[in-house]
Amino acid sequence: MSLKHSYTLLAPIYDAMVASATASIRKKSLAQLDDVHGKKILLAGVGTGLDFEHLPAGAEYHGIDLTPAMLKRARRRIQSNQSIKLSIGDVTDLPFTDEEFDVVICHLILAVVPDPEKMIIEVERVLKPGGQVLILDKFIRPGQFAPCRKLLNLFIRHIATRTNVVFEQVLAHSPKLKLVSDEPTMVGGWFRRIKLVRA
Ligand SMILES: C[S@@+](CC[C@H](N)C(=O)[O-])C[C@H]1O[C@@H](n2cnc3c(N)ncnc32)[C@H](O)[C@@H]1O
């Protein structure tokens, strides 16, 4: 089963499964946005739009996702005072020009796609020099044994998410992206809030 098919099935129950567990970590991640007035911001793998209520006004937001059923729910969530354009697309092959965005938000997507290295290269490409990347996801540390997560990965990587992604190995593919901060958020630090800046 492809991720597009599984997220089509998950779409009606996604908010019930994820919304309350992630509300506070989303809020904290998006509180890192500086003054957004006039900025262009990409929400990569936007899902059902659970980030929308935490987005400061004044920016032009673009959300992209592979799954129409998730986007349909996101569309309903846009508030009248928000400028959010939604489109179908692949985060590992972004339909945007080089250096188009001031910020790329990657909440629960880098450890979802089968090829996170390809995604981070695309994020680096569409980001302006000095632009920021906000990441919220689950990663294992370099050299960490994590046998349960590696085993779990075999069962759920094709239907929901990967659980064996080593962030440092992914970041090594985007030399212009520099680490600004990396903080544990939940499940004993399995989930991390990471901020990068493009040199
Ligand atoms: C775990 S959900 C996260 C959604 C949202 N970012 C959030 O924080 O709730 C993963 C989302 O990524 C989307 N997705 C999976 N692979 C993708 C790809 N290659 N390109 C774009 N979106 C993708 C799925 O359709 C799903 O909506």
Side-chain angles (χ1 to χ4, degrees), residues 1-185:
M1 184 187 279
S2 72
L3 283 176
K4 184 174 168 181
H5 285 115
S6 60
Y7 275 100
T8 300
L9 296 175
L10 286 171
I13 53 166
Y14 184 82
D15 291 355
M17 287 167 46
V18 173
S20 64
T22 58
S24 72
I25 61 170
R26 284 174 199 284
K27 193 175 172 188
K28 274 193 186 160
S29 174
L30 296 171
Q32 299 176 100
L33 288 168
D34 303 325
D35 179 15
V36 299
H37 278 91
K39 290 192 176 165
K40 201 166 168 183
I41 299 181
L42 174 64
L43 294 111
V46 63
T48 60
L50 290 177
D51 288 328
F52 293 175
E53 65 177 293
H54 307 294
L55 295 176
E60 179 185 314
Y61 293 98
H62 290 251
I64 185 170
D65 201 285
L66 204 58
T67 312
M70 296 292 275
L71 279 182
K72 188 175 148 195
R73 284 164 173 80
R75 201 158 278 123
R76 285 191 212 133
R77 202 169 242 132
I78 300 174
Q79 290 157 21
S80 55
N81 63 340
Q82 290 185 313
S83 165
I84 305 178
K85 294 177 188 160
L86 297 176
S87 54
I88 304 279
D90 184 348
V91 295
T92 62
D93 185 15
L94 288 170
F96 301 108
T97 57
D98 297 357
E99 302 184 2
E100 200 174 327
F101 290 93
D102 298 282
V103 181
V104 181
I105 296 165
C106 306
H107 284 179
L108 308 183
I109 181 67
L110 201 54
V112 166
V113 291
D115 195 345
E117 295 81 10
K118 211 170 162 198
M119 178 180 169
I120 201 86
I121 290 166
E122 279 293 87
V123 168
E124 181 185 63
R125 181 183 67 76
V126 301
L127 199 62
K128 292 177 187 172
Q132 297 176 342
V133 187
L134 302 181
I135 298 168
L136 196 56
D137 225 318
K138 58 216 156 311
F139 299 107
I140 57 175
R141 305 267 172 189
Q144 194 176 355
F145 186 36
C148 296
R149 282 176 254 177
K150 286 177 185 165
L151 185 64
L152 181 65
N153 183 62
L154 298 175
F155 298 101
I156 65 167
R157 66 189 159 158
H158 296 303
I159 54 169
T161 188
R162 290 181 57 189
T163 52
N164 68 341
V165 178
V166 178
F167 174 70
E168 289 76 3
Q169 288 174 1
V170 175
L171 185 61
H173 288 77
S174 53
K176 291 181 191 155
L177 295 181
K178 306 294 176 197
L179 187 68
V180 176
S181 59
D182 180 353
E183 296 164 271
T185 57

